[in-house]
Amino acid sequence: MSLKLSFLIDRKQYVTVSSCFSPVCDVISGVPQGSVLGPVLFIIYVNDICDTIPIEVTVKLFADYTKIYSTLSDHMSAECLQACLDVISSWSDHWQLTLSPSKCTVLHVVAADKCRARFPYTIAGYTLSVVEYVTDLGITYDNKLKFGPHIDKVCSKASSRAKLILKCFQTRSPSILLKAYCTFV
């Protein structure tokens, strides 16, 4: 008896909602999520994207997120950065990985005393929105590389939880409230 075991071939999928099941379909691309090997296979699959970008542009990959950035100067223009976006778009089409341009943004990091013309960056015809701050791996920073937005968010969340503790606990014992604060805030 021959037993065929494969991690990536002949995979099937279906969707369940309550007690209703969709038809079974073949999985034709991707790696199994939630597996130990899945992230490693995905990294191997997408790692060659770095080879498509010129050395003047920095590429950072984390899971299924890709960030590109560069210092714009005389030899490095906004058009070159746009060309990198075009290459990434072509690369993703070739490898059948759908991009989500609506989730992509542009952050212009400039000194306060410098103002530069804004170049309209696009991916697959979709103009990317220019933002004043971004969140990377849970840390928010602004276009001056200051962490004010992150600090404000953390303080607001801590304040809300502290107020909830005072609302939910009947005791006003400092030692009990301090333990609750240290546990929940």
Side-chain angles (χ1 to χ4, degrees):
M1 177 178 193
S2 171
L3 183 62
K4 179 181 176 187
L5 297 175
S6 177
F7 188 66
L8 298 175
I9 298 172
D10 295 329
R11 291 183 300 129
K12 310 282 186 196
Q13 70 181 10
Y14 64 91
V15 176
T16 305
V17 177
S18 296
S19 60
C20 298
F21 299 90
S22 71
V24 175
C25 302
D26 292 328
V27 177
I28 58 171
S29 67
V31 295
Q33 290 186 337
S35 66
V36 174
L37 201 50
V40 174
L41 291 173
F42 187 79
I43 288 169
I44 292 168
Y45 188 63
V46 300
N47 204 39
D48 71 322
I49 196 169
C50 298
D51 299 334
T52 66
I53 305 298
I55 193 130
E56 298 87 12
V57 176
T58 303
V59 180
K60 298 291 183 186
L61 303 175
F62 181 78
D64 59 348
Y65 293 96
T66 302
K67 297 202 176 289
I68 64 169
Y69 59 91
S70 181
T71 302
L72 300 183
S73 61
D74 293 338
H75 68 281
M76 179 64 199
S77 67
E79 288 85 5
C80 183
L81 206 50
Q82 176 59 56
C84 291
L85 291 172
D86 295 339
V87 165
I88 289 171
S89 183
S90 296
W91 178 92
S92 69
D93 289 343
H94 175 76
W95 291 110
Q96 301 174 4
L97 289 171
T98 305
L99 295 177
S100 298
S102 62
K103 294 181 180 178
C104 300
T105 58
V106 176
L107 179 71
H108 295 282
V109 178
V110 294
D113 59 341
K114 294 188 179 185
C115 184
R116 296 188 179 187
R118 307 293 175 149
F119 184 87
Y121 295 101
T122 63
I123 294 178
Y126 181 92
T127 302
L128 303 181
S129 59
V130 177
V131 296
E132 297 298 314
Y133 62 90
V134 295
T135 301
D136 275 335
L137 303 175
I139 306 296
T140 304
Y141 54 91
D142 65 17
N143 59 358
K144 295 172 187 62
L145 298 181
K146 303 283 184 189
F147 297 96
H150 182 74
I151 293 167
D152 292 344
K153 186 165 59 172
V154 169
C155 290
S156 175
K157 194 173 183 180
S159 176
S160 294
R161 286 189 180 171
K163 288 176 187 172
L164 188 60
I165 288 170
L166 288 175
K167 185 177 178 182
C168 293
F169 282 73
Q170 291 181 349
T171 183
R172 291 297 175 246
S173 166
S175 63
I176 292 174
L177 290 175
L178 180 61
K179 285 180 184 178
Y181 182 84
C182 291
T183 302
F184 298 111
V185 177

